[in-house]
Amino acid sequence: MSFLSGFIAIIGPPNSGKSTLLNQLLGRKIAITSPKPQTTRNRIVGIYHGDNYQMAFMDTPGIHQTRSPLHKSMVNSAKASLKEVDIILLVAEPVDITHDSEMKAVLELLGKLEKPALLALNKIDLVKKENLLPLIESYSKLHCFDAIIPLSALYRDGLEALREELVKRLSPGPQFFPPDMITDKSEDFLIAEIIREKIYHETRQELPYSSAVVVEALDEDQERNLLKIIAVIYVEKQSQKGIIIGKDGAMIKRIGRKARMEVERIFSARVYLELFVKVEKKWSSDSRSLRRLGY
Ligand code: GDP
Ligand code: MG
């Protein structure tokens, strides 16, 4: 039997559950998630290894209309992945989208691409059974999807059905990635993202969007199974630095503790995490700062 492989772009509106779905498909957390839109900023490749096949998923920042330089870079990276892949997986929420202008833009893009497109209708745990069929019907009228798979990424419902639909559409091809490779991202990147996720969970309003995280040093002490990490949280204003640090350092301690516990779980190692906060004025609108921070 020949080996099958394919590249799959996961696209869709912000907050529809793209990163959650990727993590669940892989059975490993490689992409951070949060209830806030625009959590994902970079394209992340996650590789699923089957017995005789390999699927490379690209998680993308949501496609949305935007003006800010950071968001432009995010949307461009989502659009660029569409051109490179074999299959497109649109993740949408089970809501009426007939009048949603962003969804229309996404569907228009799909129409032009002429590639297999599957719709993962996510978060069905939130809809009543009797409302599901009408929703599927209304989506099927908007685009000629190759398949529509209702699922709940969070509760791992419908994932096997989705995997089967995807496998059907892989092509004979080489093993692009070594069998032990799960993502294209470095440990540094994953750790910085986990810290950023905790900032998304712990802070409000514009603060998550004004934060960026860089791991400055990562030392592995293999004998003691210890990871030593030094990371910097960048914010845009002095006042934001105050909020991230919190009263008597309470906030940064909480962010640090939650990030440390998660890194310990993912890497199965003890972790020593030191966090610093620095102000870099307007990094999210300065192209040089954006590049330096990895966007
Ligand atoms: P993304 O912006 O499309 O990558 O969305 P995320 O994966 O970050 O998820 C956005 C929010 O939706 C998070 O709070 C997730 O926990 C939540 N979510 C994702 N999938 C499901 C699901 O199947 N059911 C429910 N109820 N919530 C979900
Ligand atoms: Mg995401």
Side-chain angles (χ1 to χ4, degrees):
M1 206 159 45
S2 65
F3 197 82
L4 304 173
S5 56
F7 282 81
I8 300 151
I10 305 180
I11 63 160
N15 233 23
S16 57
K18 299 178 292 299
S19 300
T20 304
L21 179 59
L22 175 62
N23 292 336
Q24 297 284 37
L25 283 167
L26 298 182
R28 269 273 298 259
K29 174 155 162 181
I30 64 162
I32 63 168
T33 66
S34 93
K36 298 186 172 72
Q38 283 124 50
T39 306
T40 306
R41 290 180 184 161
N42 308 73
R43 185 164 75 171
I44 300 171
V45 177
I47 302 124
Y48 183 84
H49 302 270
D51 291 338
N52 66 326
Y53 66 87
Q54 198 166 63
M55 301 194 272
F57 294 95
M58 287 181 193
D59 186 17
T60 61
I63 293 180
H64 50 96
Q65 273 138 12
T66 178
R67 284 195 203 186
S68 95
L70 172 62
H71 289 159
K72 270 205 184 107
S73 131
M74 286 161 50
V75 174
N76 284 341
S77 108
K79 285 187 178 164
S81 28
L82 293 183
K83 300 213 176 87
E84 298 161 17
V85 297
D86 309 300
I87 303 168
I88 293 161
L89 178 60
L90 174 62
V91 181
E93 297 191 53
V95 291
D96 180 14
I97 44 113
T98 351
H99 304 291
D100 185 323
S101 63
E102 288 182 358
M103 197 49 142
K104 262 191 200 137
V106 171
L107 292 170
E108 219 165 273
L109 253 165
L110 276 190
K112 286 182 205 151
L113 282 165
E114 295 183 10
K115 294 187 182 185
L118 310 188
L119 172 66
L121 198 53
N122 190 28
K123 307 196 187 182
I124 55 160
D125 53 288
L126 299 178
V127 285
K128 290 204 195 102
K129 265 215 169 84
E130 64 262 32
N131 294 337
L132 197 54
L133 269 181
L135 272 167
I136 293 177
E137 208 156 286
S138 69
Y139 267 96
S140 66
K141 280 180 194 145
L142 293 172
H143 181 81
C144 187
F145 290 105
D146 293 80
I148 298 182
I149 306 103
L151 53 87
S152 167
L154 197 58
Y155 296 102
R156 308 189 54 86
D157 188 10
L159 295 189
E160 274 318 305
L162 171 62
R163 216 191 306 270
E164 277 168 27
E165 291 294 342
L166 288 169
V167 172
K168 275 189 214 163
R169 291 169 179 85
L170 299 176
S171 320
Q175 203 161 343
F176 286 105
F177 302 97
D180 57 349
M181 185 171 166
I182 292 166
T183 175
D184 65 329
K185 290 289 185 272
S186 65
E187 293 182 345
D188 284 29
F189 176 86
L190 293 176
I191 292 166
E193 286 288 276
I194 288 166
I195 298 166
R196 201 164 63 77
E197 180 184 74
K198 303 313 165 204
I199 298 172
Y200 267 66
H201 289 199
E202 298 297 328
T203 67
R204 280 157 218 286
Q205 287 159 0
E206 90 291 353
L207 201 53
Y209 304 102
S210 298
S211 307
V213 179
V214 174
V215 168
E216 304 253 287
L218 176 63
D219 283 313
E220 269 185 87
D221 181 341
Q222 293 199 328
E223 229 151 75
R224 292 158 66 202
N225 193 28
L226 179 70
L227 276 182
K228 286 191 223 163
I229 304 162
I230 299 175
V232 179
I233 299 171
Y234 288 93
V235 290
E236 301 195 284
K237 295 178 202 158
Q238 197 61 37
S239 61
Q240 294 172 333
K241 180 172 171 178
I243 299 171
I244 290 270
I245 291 172
K247 190 160 184 292
D248 300 325
M251 178 62 97
I252 188 128
K253 272 185 210 151
R254 189 153 69 233
I255 290 168
R257 188 179 64 246
K258 292 198 164 165
R260 176 178 55 75
M261 284 164 58
E262 184 152 351
V263 175
E264 287 186 332
R265 201 154 32 91
I266 291 178
F267 292 88
S268 304
R270 279 192 301 134
V271 168
Y272 171 79
L273 171 62
E274 205 171 339
L275 283 178
F276 295 93
V277 188
K278 289 185 187 166
V279 177
E280 175 144 333
K281 289 208 172 83
K282 298 192 178 159
W283 67 260
S284 71
S285 49
D286 179 76
S287 58
R288 271 188 31 219
S289 300
L290 280 174
R291 266 201 305 280
R292 209 170 58 73
L293 296 171
Y295 299 116

